[in-house]
Amino acid sequence: VVLLKMRDRSIQEATTLSDLFKHPDPELQAAVCKDVVKTSGKSILILLEGYDELPPDLQERSIFSALIEGKELPNATILVTSRTSSSDIVYEKCKATKFQHIEVVGFTGE
């Protein structure tokens, strides 16, 4: 499981998969990234938490949109959380994928 908090500036600045798999040991980071890429993300769950907190240009074109669209790590399971303000963008990106489940849950006044 890889948790990526979209409000984290270092995550927002990621341009490659290696940037997402941060670890204090550079050799371990490179080995993990190599294994993940080798399997195209099989058996990996990536949680993109707070997608709406990304700047609009990163929501449209970034490593994160490539993950959602299945262009990067097509065998990984991607779970996106977002406020409804970004749900249209997430939905459009998911339309291109083979498997998808989209659920929009709002909050009530209670």
Side-chain angles (χ1 to χ4, degrees), residues 2-21:
V2 179
L3 171 62
L4 301 174
K5 294 184 178 187
M6 300 293 98
R7 69 178 156 269
D8 184 332
R9 188 73 164 156
S10 65
I11 297 296
Q12 290 181 5
E13 293 172 351
T15 57
T16 67
L17 290 173
S18 183
D19 295 340
L20 299 177
F21 298 101

Side-chain angles (χ1 to χ4, degrees), residues 48 51 54 57-72 89 93:
L48 303 179
Y51 194 75
L54 279 176
D57 60 317
L58 292 179
Q59 289 181 20
E60 292 296 328
R61 289 178 302 281
S62 66
I63 188 74
F64 312 109
S65 60
L67 285 166
I68 294 170
E69 293 169 350
K71 294 177 182 175
E72 294 282 351
I89 292 169
K93 299 215 172 290

Side-chain angles (χ1 to χ4, degrees), residues 4 10 12 18 24 26 32 38 43 52 57 60 72 83 88 95 98 107:
L4 301 174
S10 65
Q12 290 181 5
S18 183
V32 167
K38 183 178 177 181
S43 300
D52 58 293
D57 60 317
E60 292 296 328
E72 294 282 351
R83 292 182 184 100
D88 289 342
K95 283 187 356 184
K98 192 164 82 170
F107 294 94

Side-chain angles (χ1 to χ4, degrees), residues 82-85 87 103-110:
S82 175
R83 292 182 184 100
T84 55
S85 60
S87 61
E103 182 174 353
V104 178
V105 179
F107 294 94
T108 63
E110 298 175 21

Side-chain angles (χ1 to χ4, degrees), residues 19-57:
D19 295 340
L20 299 177
F21 298 101
K22 294 288 185 191
H23 193 276
D25 180 349
E27 289 180 18
L28 182 58
Q29 177 178 334
V32 167
C33 189
K34 182 180 176 182
D35 287 346
V36 169
V37 169
K38 183 178 177 181
T39 64
S40 297
K42 186 176 181 180
S43 300
I44 300 288
L45 169 64
I46 300 176
L47 175 56
L48 303 179
E49 190 264 326
Y51 194 75
D52 58 293
E53 296 184 43
L54 279 176
D57 60 317

